[in-house]
Amino acid sequence: MYLSIYLPSQIIFTFFDRQLLEEMLDNGFPLATELNILTELIKPPTIINKAVSMVTGKEGVSSVLPGSQLSNVPWRRQGVKYTNNEAYFDCIEEIDAIIDANGGIVSAEIHGNINCNVHLSGMPDLSMSFVNPRLLDDVSFHPCVRLKRWEMEKVLSFVPPDGNFVLMSYHISAQNQVAIPVYVRAMINFKDGQGRVDITVGPKQTLGKTVDNVVITIPMPKEVSGVSMTTSVGSYSFDPISKVLKWDIGKILPLKIPTMRGTCTLPADSKYRDAHPTIHVDFKIMQLAVSGLKVNRLDMYNENYKPFKGVKYITKAGNFQART
């Protein structure tokens, strides 16, 4: 049972679409779970569809079984036609890392997805190859991918679903293959009722790409009552309730390295000295896959037209921490 508690069928049907559940399950077992099959069986709930259902008394369930439900490619609906044929692939990687106070890597790993937005007519057969597929580890695929060809040739061969889907997910945990794209140099100490903060952030191993949407978050000790900072780039804010100091840098320009310096206010009788707050870093880098993954070719077979194809790379911070 998915839930740890028992829910009566009346409650389930109240909060979930009854028609949708009846088509997805057969005597409690999964039957039809593909999105394109369900949208053909049951019309999406719109105001017009609800009005027609109230007037005619029909529930909006198709009386014809979708052809794709009995085909070898149930994830793709039949008879797809587009005026503009296009396929976009986004390689999105999130890096989780812990950096010690000296700049050394304690741990680092990458979680990546290849998200697709495909609008192609007919029944196209796509083939995607990579420049360096051997670096991929712990890979999982959409059911459309032919596993045998990947195992033998390291090539993704598939008939894509129509619309948005995740083609592949992967994980890279070897630290020698994880390039840290930013550095953080921080000094935070507390002494004699006052704290001092000195933080510098800059790009590192970005291949010339711009680091954007940079935000530094520092949870300060509960004894801190206020802060006074000076920033060379961006602006800062301090929440006196949650005791969180946030530095919104934005974009890091090559000729202007962001720095933040200032003091923290503590009670006059405070002897608090042992705090070493962890710095949380958020950032985004466009047109860069920090793992080095790169698409080599994207070919289409089984159709005669030439589609527009595009590949985009994005690196984002996941759980990225710097110790002080």
Side-chain angles (χ1 to χ4, degrees), residues 17 42-54:
D17 192 291
I42 303 173
K43 294 181 180 179
T46 63
I47 296 178
I48 297 177
N49 290 342
K50 289 182 179 180
V52 172
S53 177
M54 292 177 62

Side-chain angles (χ1 to χ4, degrees), residues 257-289:
I257 300 301
T259 59
M260 181 173 70
R261 297 184 176 94
T263 59
C264 304
T265 304
L266 296 170
D269 57 346
S270 175
K271 297 181 180 180
Y272 196 83
R273 298 185 179 186
D274 299 330
H276 296 281
T278 300
I279 299 174
H280 300 268
V281 186
D282 289 318
F283 58 84
K284 184 177 181 180
I285 307 174
M286 300 297 296
Q287 296 305 322
L288 174 69

Side-chain angles (χ1 to χ4, degrees), residues 188 190 197 199 215-224 227 237-239 241-247 260 264 272 275-281 320-324:
I188 303 176
F190 300 90
V197 177
I199 303 176
V215 178
I216 305 296
T217 304
I218 310 171
M220 304 299 283
K222 62 181 181 180
E223 288 81 4
V224 174
V227 300
S237 62
F238 177 72
D239 188 342
I241 298 176
S242 62
K243 308 297 184 182
V244 173
L245 174 62
K246 182 174 290 187
W247 179 20
M260 181 173 70
C264 304
Y272 196 83
H276 296 281
T278 300
I279 299 174
H280 300 268
V281 186
F320 195 100
Q321 302 179 4
R323 295 175 176 173
T324 59

Side-chain angles (χ1 to χ4, degrees), residues 169-311:
S169 300
Y170 56 91
H171 173 236
I172 300 175
S173 57
Q175 293 190 15
N176 59 347
Q177 295 181 358
V178 179
I180 303 300
V182 298
Y183 68 83
V184 180
R185 298 178 186 143
M187 184 189 70
I188 303 176
N189 55 49
F190 300 90
K191 184 179 180 181
D192 299 331
Q194 191 179 59
R196 291 191 174 275
V197 177
D198 190 341
I199 303 176
T200 302
V201 184
K204 176 184 177 183
Q205 302 182 50
T206 61
L207 301 178
K209 305 299 182 182
T210 302
V211 184
D212 204 355
N213 297 348
V214 182
V215 178
I216 305 296
T217 304
I218 310 171
M220 304 299 283
K222 62 181 181 180
E223 288 81 4
V224 174
S225 58
V227 300
S228 177
M229 298 290 158
T230 301
T231 62
S232 63
V233 178
S235 60
Y236 77 93
S237 62
F238 177 72
D239 188 342
I241 298 176
S242 62
K243 308 297 184 182
V244 173
L245 174 62
K246 182 174 290 187
W247 179 20
D248 191 345
I249 299 173
K251 183 183 297 184
I252 298 180
L253 300 176
L255 301 179
K256 195 171 184 180
I257 300 301
T259 59
M260 181 173 70
R261 297 184 176 94
T263 59
C264 304
T265 304
L266 296 170
D269 57 346
S270 175
K271 297 181 180 180
Y272 196 83
R273 298 185 179 186
D274 299 330
H276 296 281
T278 300
I279 299 174
H280 300 268
V281 186
D282 289 318
F283 58 84
K284 184 177 181 180
I285 307 174
M286 300 297 296
Q287 296 305 322
L288 174 69
V290 72
S291 66
L293 184 68
K294 187 176 181 180
V295 175
N296 182 34
R297 290 180 60 91
L298 179 62
D299 300 313
M300 187 184 73
Y301 306 96
N302 204 34
E303 296 291 343
N304 296 324
Y305 57 84
K306 290 185 178 181
F308 180 81
K309 299 173 288 186
V311 180

